Amino acid sequence: MPYAHITGWGMAVPEKVLTNDDLSRMIDTNDEWIRDHTGIRERHVACENEFPSTLAVAAAVKALQVANLKPTDIDLIICSTSSPEHIFPATACLIQDQLGASRAGAFDLSAACTGFIFAMNMAAQSIRSGSIKNALVIGAETLTRFVDWNDRNTCILFGDGAGAFVLQASDQPGGVLSAVMHSDGSGGDSLSLPAGGSRLPANEATVHEGKHYIHMDGRAVFRFATRVMGHAAKEALELAGLTTDDVQWIIPHQANYRIIETAAKYLKLPLDRFVINVDRYGNTSTASIPIATVEAIEKGLIKNGDKIVFVGFGAGLTWGALAADWTGPLPTERRVHPESYRTWARVRSWLRRLARLIEGLIWGRES
Ligand code: UT7
């Protein structure tokens, strides 16, 4: 059975930065409160022409470059997101088109902030089963578009960004070792976006009542998160036959510094074994784990052979963890430049649109 290795990685965040001081000029809050209660100092916010797909493609191109793969080498794209560009088509299909990954099947996965772990597990299982060889797993969000900038309980928390991993089949042992996935739908009300779906389609009243914004019972989510984070990490470790002594890095979902502290206490690990960057990005939901991982790699913290545990929680409620043996890119002589394929991707995309238009005209004349 092949192993599923993590062989490429990349991240992208919007340029615009919103600091706590900026927020204090917009609503009744202050830098000290936000830092004390969350650990956040600033976050990146998407501007008008930035979307989950554009951030995702920027991250994916970097990930493909590290893995030395062309977009057409990819068999599967899973985009985990809670801020999809449309209910349908899937954001993953927009990414597939922009990237020129013409051989890939693409779909979105919705498991909120835990989504990246669920998506990694799905991709790894597809590789392990032998049905695919190369997968692109992306976490991409512009949740600030769904934030009520008058609600100080939520608007201080979220930031935008994307992170991408390439997963590849290899006969060499390593890569994804284990994963656990959990859900408890009875807690769905504690973090939700009530309107815009088929239960409550958007209309004048839902907009007037602010039901198209994120609604959150912060204390309930905090209690849930502190209960499940450490436990899920331990479960994934046990499933992989590892203990906390074997692990170099825990990479948690970056929602709140205090939640990460509680997980560290539960696991009896010092905080310096946790990758933490919530101070500079806020909560980027499903993108937070790959963004934190890419930063840690770029700082030289993660080395080949390190054992790593990714752990997250989020709306749903959902939570989970995944243990991995970090092995880096697979050895290859080939050097590819995925960015250069994007011009062709654009041309091919327009040609396909044109072909559909001509097809429509011919059918119209014949019928
Ligand atoms: O990916 C999952 C996403 N969600 C989360 O991870 C959220 C988890 N929960 C949390 O991180 C925390 O519950 C929050 C950061 C949201 C809130 O922190 P807290 O320590 O639980 O504060 P609280 O809600 O208990 O509020 C304490 C006080 C309240 O005032 P009173 O009622 O005691 O007078 C709030 O009105 O702090 C007030 N408050 C603020 N004050 C200044 C709430 N937000 C703010 C604010 N600035 N931004």
Side-chain angles (χ1 to χ4, degrees), residues 95-222:
I95 297 166
Q96 180 265 342
D97 180 50
Q98 289 173 40
L99 211 51
S102 50
R103 286 185 49 252
F107 68 91
D108 284 0
L109 183 149
S110 169
C113 308
T114 325
F116 195 76
I117 288 172
F118 283 25
M120 284 270 288
N121 190 28
M122 293 298 100
Q125 294 302 335
S126 301
I127 288 172
R128 300 277 284 160
S129 74
S131 72
I132 62 160
K133 281 196 160 52
N134 304 320
L136 195 53
V137 178
I138 302 170
E141 302 283 14
T142 53
L143 270 179
T144 61
R145 296 250 163 79
F146 300 104
V147 150
D148 178 355
W149 292 105
N150 293 312
D151 176 9
R152 67 179 183 172
N153 291 300
T154 53
C155 76
I156 57 149
L157 297 177
F158 295 99
D160 300 329
F165 281 1
V166 171
L167 266 66
Q168 277 188 270
S170 165
D171 293 334
Q172 294 300 312
V176 175
L177 302 173
S178 68
V180 290
M181 306 193 295
H182 295 293
S183 301
D184 175 5
S186 72
D189 286 351
S190 53
L191 181 51
S192 68
L193 207 151
S198 56
R199 177 173 284 242
L200 200 56
N203 58 35
E204 231 170 90
T206 60
V207 172
H208 182 70
E209 290 162 19
K211 288 188 171 159
H212 56 298
Y213 291 133
I214 295 170
H215 287 241
M216 184 180 74
D217 177 348
R219 287 183 195 178
V221 177
F222 191 92

Side-chain angles (χ1 to χ4, degrees), residues 29 33 37-38 113 152-153 216 218-219 253 255-256 258 283:
T29 189
W33 191 97
H37 288 250
T38 69
C113 308
R152 67 179 183 172
N153 291 300
M216 184 180 74
R219 287 183 195 178
H253 168 45
N256 185 318
R258 292 188 294 147
N283 180 348

